[in-house]
Amino acid sequence: MIILKIGGSILTNKDSLESEVDSSSLKRIAVEIKSSLDKSDKELIIVHGAGSFGHPPAKKYRIGEAFEESEYPQKRIGFCETQNAVKKLNMLICEEFIREGLPVVAIPASSFMTATNKRITHGNLDSFRRYLKKGFIPVIYGDVVLDDELEICVISGDQLIQYLAMNLNPDRVILATDVDGVYNKNPKTHDDAVFFEKFSSLEDLDTLEGTTNVDVTGGMVGKIKELLYLADLGIESKIINAEVENNIYKVLENENVKGTVISRGN
Ligand code: ADP
């Protein structure tokens, strides 16, 4: 089984305040995944981020922050707006994937997962296993869920990766984003950023700067933290650049692709 996360940075125009899908990237990625599945059958789960669809409403309503009982009606609407926005993105993604012949089935986190203090604590994954067995590609995405402590919270695609990998024991965990992998500082704002082929500790970063994008879930640092949890469990993951043509195809085919492997080993 392969768990593949496609970052919101690739699928949407994250810098825009409008909810825009990057249609050409989406189509290319769908074609790359299809080509790999045509070459050989693979059990695949796809996770995608919320990008420019989910972040603005989540930020506007400050989902995940503590609030007074009197604010509940407004927070509830914020939850619904966010849930609906990410569902729309998911629908556009699934539409394109199905057009390319990928048997995707959406399993939204808000419909079956709950959290405690922003960490997923419940979420029965039996339906993932059953759909996989029948040859489907389950798709889950950054979403809002009920929280035992905070009432509601945002769950990032990166946290979903961590939860799924911890519970489903995949052979490979791949994260596709818009940079080649992890650098000692943000490569988009620092020309002298140094690239890591292997990454095993947050101490290797120069700064804990998140990302230049509108993001409520932590950017690269948030991603690395989730992957280090996995590394602690002995599950290795790899971050690659999906803006480079054929990288998704190659990584699915286990061909050599530039990227950062996150593991605790040397
Ligand atoms: P995605 O939406 O693909 O999950 P994010 O936008 O959340 O990805 O995070 C990727 C972004 O993180 C990159 O575009 C980059 O600008 C930023 N970033 C910040 N610090 C780093 C770093 N040390 N190494 C690599 N990327 C970084």
Side-chain angles (χ1 to χ4, degrees), residues 88-118:
K88 254 186 219 164
L89 170 62
N90 172 258
M91 206 188 70
L92 295 169
I93 291 172
C94 287
E95 233 165 55
E96 183 60 37
F97 281 11
I98 292 166
R99 199 174 297 136
E100 293 302 328
L102 294 169
V104 289
V105 56
I107 309 180
S110 51
S111 68
F112 77 105
M113 285 180 163
T114 56
T116 307
N117 246 324
K118 303 186 192 178

Side-chain angles (χ1 to χ4, degrees), residues 6 18 33 42 65 100-101 108 119 122-124 136 141 143 147 210 219 221 223 232 239 242 248 255 260:
I6 310 168
E18 297 291 315
I33 296 172
K42 297 166 187 72
E65 287 180 29
E100 293 302 328
R119 301 300 303 173
H122 290 100
N124 184 324
F136 289 90
Y141 48 93
D143 205 344
D147 188 299
V221 172
K223 207 179 302 301
D232 284 337
I239 302 178
I248 295 240
E255 289 178 22
T260 301

Side-chain angles (χ1 to χ4, degrees), residues 75-224:
K75 290 282 181 179
R76 225 170 353 233
I77 284 293
F79 181 98
C80 300
E81 261 188 41
T82 313
Q83 195 239 20
N84 211 41
V86 294
K87 195 162 67 181
K88 254 186 219 164
L89 170 62
N90 172 258
M91 206 188 70
L92 295 169
I93 291 172
C94 287
E95 233 165 55
E96 183 60 37
F97 281 11
I98 292 166
R99 199 174 297 136
E100 293 302 328
L102 294 169
V104 289
V105 56
I107 309 180
S110 51
S111 68
F112 77 105
M113 285 180 163
T114 56
T116 307
N117 246 324
K118 303 186 192 178
R119 301 300 303 173
I120 303 162
T121 36
H122 290 100
N124 184 324
L125 300 177
D126 283 351
S127 60
F128 279 74
R129 295 185 185 92
R130 294 177 78 145
Y131 276 121
L132 281 172
K133 236 185 221 153
K134 299 287 176 192
F136 289 90
I137 302 174
V139 178
I140 189 167
Y141 48 93
D143 205 344
V144 278
V145 300
L146 292 178
D147 188 299
D148 292 340
E149 295 283 330
L150 300 161
E151 302 292 351
I152 54 178
C153 73
V154 173
I155 293 298
S156 68
D158 295 323
Q159 190 183 155
L160 287 169
I161 279 279
Q162 190 261 337
Y163 185 82
L164 294 178
M166 189 172 74
N167 287 288
L168 292 174
N169 201 21
D171 302 302
R172 297 168 64 210
V173 179
I174 301 158
L175 286 90
T177 183
D178 65 346
V179 288
D180 286 346
V182 185
Y183 293 74
N184 67 335
K185 46 193 165 182
N186 189 344
K188 292 232 165 133
T189 48
H190 298 89
D191 289 341
D192 61 341
V194 179
F195 178 72
F196 293 108
E197 285 200 352
K198 281 205 175 214
F199 190 85
S200 53
S201 164
L202 274 182
E203 285 167 16
D204 293 339
L205 292 183
D206 266 19
T207 64
L208 286 182
E209 179 191 354
T211 154
T212 50
N213 302 320
V214 188
D215 203 324
V216 290
T217 51
M220 188 53 79
V221 172
K223 207 179 302 301
I224 294 168

